[in-house]
Amino acid sequence: MGLNPGSNPEFAPADVVRRQYLASAAGDLEALRATLAPDVEWTEMAGFPLAGTYRTPEGVTANIMEKLAVEWEGWAAHDDTYVVEGENVVVLARYTARHRMTGKPLAVRVAHHFVVRGGLIVRFEQFVDTALVRDAAT
C-alpha cells in the first residue's frame, strides 16, 4: 500500500515546513534538501544580499544556506508563528546572526510563504526588511 501524503500527518504542510527549519538550524543540508521538490522555486527578496530565484534543492542550499554560513556567524531563522491555509504556509519568523566582516549583529523580523504539495516544498518567497540586513553587512 503506497503512502497518501494527504492522509499522513508527517506530510502535513506545516510539518514539512517545520522539518525544513529544523534541518536548517542543525546545518543538515541533506535533510533540508529532502523537504524540497526537485523543481522547487525559492525566491529571496529583491534587496536581500542573495536576492533571486533558485531552483533545485542543490541550487537552493548552494546559493543560499552555504553562502549565508560563509558571510554570517550563527545565521538562524527562528520560526515563531505559522498560518496555514491548504497548501499555503506563512511563517512569521526572525533572523539572527552576526556578520563575519563587520562584526555587527542582525535581528530582523521576516515572513516566509511556502507552498507545499505532495509532502514537498514547491515554492518559497521571503519578505524581509532588507535595509536592516544591509546595515549589518556594511
Side-chain angles (χ1 to χ4, degrees), residues 114-135:
F114 295 87
V115 177
V116 180
R117 282 189 200 121
L120 295 172
I121 296 165
V122 297
R123 200 164 29 246
F124 166 88
E125 187 175 7
Q126 170 204 58
F127 300 90
V128 63
D129 185 338
T130 58
L132 291 177
V133 179
R134 185 182 58 243
D135 290 351

Side-chain angles (χ1 to χ4, degrees), residues 2 12 20 23-24 30 32 48 59 62 64 76 114 130 138:
Q20 179 273 149
S24 178
E30 185 176 335
L32 192 154
F48 189 71
I64 304 297
F114 295 87
T130 58
T138 58

Side-chain angles (χ1 to χ4, degrees), residues 54-138:
Y54 304 92
R55 290 172 174 78
T56 77
E58 293 75 17
V60 170
T61 55
N63 290 294
I64 304 297
M65 291 72 183
E66 291 178 23
K67 289 183 178 178
L68 288 172
V70 169
E71 297 172 17
W72 299 87
E73 180 182 338
W75 183 275
H78 309 272
D79 52 330
D80 296 329
T81 304
Y82 284 65
V83 180
V84 181
E85 183 177 308
E87 65 186 17
N88 293 284
V89 180
V90 174
V91 180
L92 305 178
R94 297 169 288 125
Y95 291 153
T96 58
R98 181 171 303 280
H99 195 268
R100 293 188 190 278
M101 295 295 289
T102 68
K104 293 179 185 175
L106 173 69
V108 63
R109 295 287 292 159
V110 299
H112 292 156
H113 174 219
F114 295 87
V115 177
V116 180
R117 282 189 200 121
L120 295 172
I121 296 165
V122 297
R123 200 164 29 246
F124 166 88
E125 187 175 7
Q126 170 204 58
F127 300 90
V128 63
D129 185 338
T130 58
L132 291 177
V133 179
R134 185 182 58 243
D135 290 351
T138 58

